[in-house]
Amino acid sequence: MEKYFAPSELIINEDGSCFHLHVRPEQLADRVILVGDPGRVPTVAAHFSEIECDIASREFRTITGIYEGKRITVQSTGIGCDNIDIVVNELDALANIDFNTRTEKPEHRTLTLVRIGTCGGLQPNTPVGTFIASVKSIGFDGLLNYYAGRDRVCDLELEEAFTRHMKWNPQKGAPYVAQADAQLIDQIAGDDMVRGITIACGGFYGPQGRELRIPLADPNQNEKVEAFEYKGLKICNFEMESSAVAGLSSLLGHRAMTCCMVIANRLIKEANTGYKNTIDTLIKKVLDRI
């Protein structure tokens, strides 16, 4: 029996676009680059030879165009895994739900999603300017725990090892470990990106161990994170979206990964606020390899 997606569950705008992104199905390419900042969308699209559409809605901006013969969509997500929940679900709906009948299409369309972002490095080999490919992402946000089948796409052994190492406080909610598409990691990361574990935090300050006027519940969190190692992989960086990108994409049958440029190293307490002038190198690498 076909599953029908009711108007309250899949909200479609009057112009036939999905609710938040305001993108119509024909405007979505199979290759999608995700960026947090809507201002970075035109930075990526500046490399395109042709522009098909340019759509802005809230923090979501979408440009689809052509780069060296490849049709690519650049999509901003805003900050945080809660926004990734909106973006990935709506991109999948555009690809795999018939908006006229509100039923699933008979043939699955697989998207390739690559998030380009910025992050904080946590190891001596991740100074400012390093490119990091997230092989596995530990989600502090708890998003994937709301979906059936999360165990099927998560590294449960790593989850157990990490929570035991951290002496995890259950009040924070259960962390999950999502895995990037292995073939896509090889395709995009090549031999010039550091591969490791990433933590996707539920905030920029306390969840990443930054203390301003509110004391931290666990002042030793970052030291424990930096010391953790699993099957030769260390936790290389903090950012805020990679776990949801990898986890939701796996559940929905898409290929996904995250690669970030380090703009602050928490270990040696250095930062580069002028990173916008240099992230274009990472953008170009991804455009060439996607």
Side-chain angles (χ1 to χ4, degrees):
M1 183 177 177
E2 284 187 334
K3 181 177 181 180
Y4 175 77
F5 301 97
S8 60
E9 310 308 296
L10 173 63
I11 303 173
I12 300 173
N13 299 316
E14 290 183 0
D15 65 354
S17 64
C18 56
F19 184 56
H20 295 92
L21 304 185
H22 277 262
V23 175
R24 298 193 305 274
E26 70 272 13
Q27 295 172 318
L28 176 66
D30 288 341
R31 297 177 175 93
V32 183
I33 292 176
L34 303 175
V35 295
D37 182 359
R40 196 172 296 152
V41 173
T43 301
V44 178
H47 296 280
F48 292 177
S49 58
E50 299 174 37
I51 300 291
E52 292 182 18
C53 63
D54 186 344
I55 303 156
S57 173
R58 310 186 193 195
E59 61 266 57
F60 308 113
R61 185 170 179 185
T62 313
I63 295 179
T64 296
I66 304 297
Y67 175 79
E68 295 189 354
K70 297 180 287 191
R71 187 169 184 252
I72 297 173
T73 294
V74 189
Q75 175 69 60
S76 68
T77 64
I79 298 174
C81 286
D82 50 348
N83 274 12
I84 297 297
D85 184 62
I86 291 171
V87 171
V88 173
N89 272 293
E90 292 196 3
L91 291 177
D92 176 75
L94 289 167
N96 290 301
I97 296 176
D98 186 320
F99 276 26
N100 294 314
T101 64
R102 291 183 169 275
T103 59
E104 190 171 343
K105 294 178 180 178
E107 291 187 12
H108 181 269
R109 177 182 170 193
T110 301
L111 302 175
T112 296
L113 307 171
V114 179
R115 168 172 142 68
I116 300 174
T118 57
C119 66
L122 294 171
Q123 299 296 338
N125 69 329
T126 59
V128 167
T130 303
F131 299 153
I132 297 176
S134 305
V135 176
K136 298 174 186 287
S137 295
I138 302 174
F140 279 8
D141 56 287
L143 175 67
L144 218 64
N145 299 330
Y146 289 86
Y147 290 93
R150 59 83 80 199
D151 285 4
R152 174 174 53 82
V153 300
C154 288
D155 187 329
L156 303 182
E157 187 179 309
L158 197 163
E159 284 180 13
E160 183 181 353
F162 180 76
T163 53
R164 186 171 57 248
H165 170 83
M166 295 292 293
K167 297 181 173 57
W168 191 259
N169 182 346
Q171 284 186 321
K172 295 178 180 178
Y176 61 93
V177 180
Q179 307 183 79
D181 184 270
Q183 290 184 332
L184 189 59
I185 285 281
D186 287 340
Q187 177 182 330
I188 301 295
D191 58 4
D192 52 8
M193 296 186 192
V194 173
R195 305 184 189 200
I197 302 170
T198 294
I199 290 181
C201 297
F204 184 78
Y205 290 96
Q208 295 189 30
R210 289 184 174 93
E211 182 175 326
L212 297 184
R213 293 203 327 109
I214 305 174
L216 299 174
D218 182 359
N220 300 314
Q221 171 190 282
N222 285 15
E223 287 78 7
K224 289 187 284 187
V225 165
E226 290 156 12
F228 181 74
E229 187 170 344
Y230 176 82
K231 294 184 178 179
L233 290 175
K234 289 198 167 188
I235 296 174
C236 292
N237 57 326
F238 279 148
E239 51 85 79
M240 296 177 66
E241 290 88 18
S242 62
S243 59
V245 170
L248 289 176
S249 296
S250 293
L251 286 173
L252 290 165
H254 302 299
R255 306 167 69 227
M257 67 162 290
T258 292
C259 52
C260 289
M261 185 178 79
V262 176
I263 63 167
N265 187 285
R266 306 297 299 285
L267 192 66
I268 58 179
K269 303 191 183 303
E270 64 172 357
N272 172 23
T273 57
Y275 67 88
K276 292 183 180 179
N277 297 323
T278 54
I279 197 169
D280 201 56
T281 304
L282 178 57
I283 291 170
K284 189 70 165 57
K285 282 183 189 293
V286 173
L287 285 171
D288 287 338
R289 298 171 183 178
I290 193 171

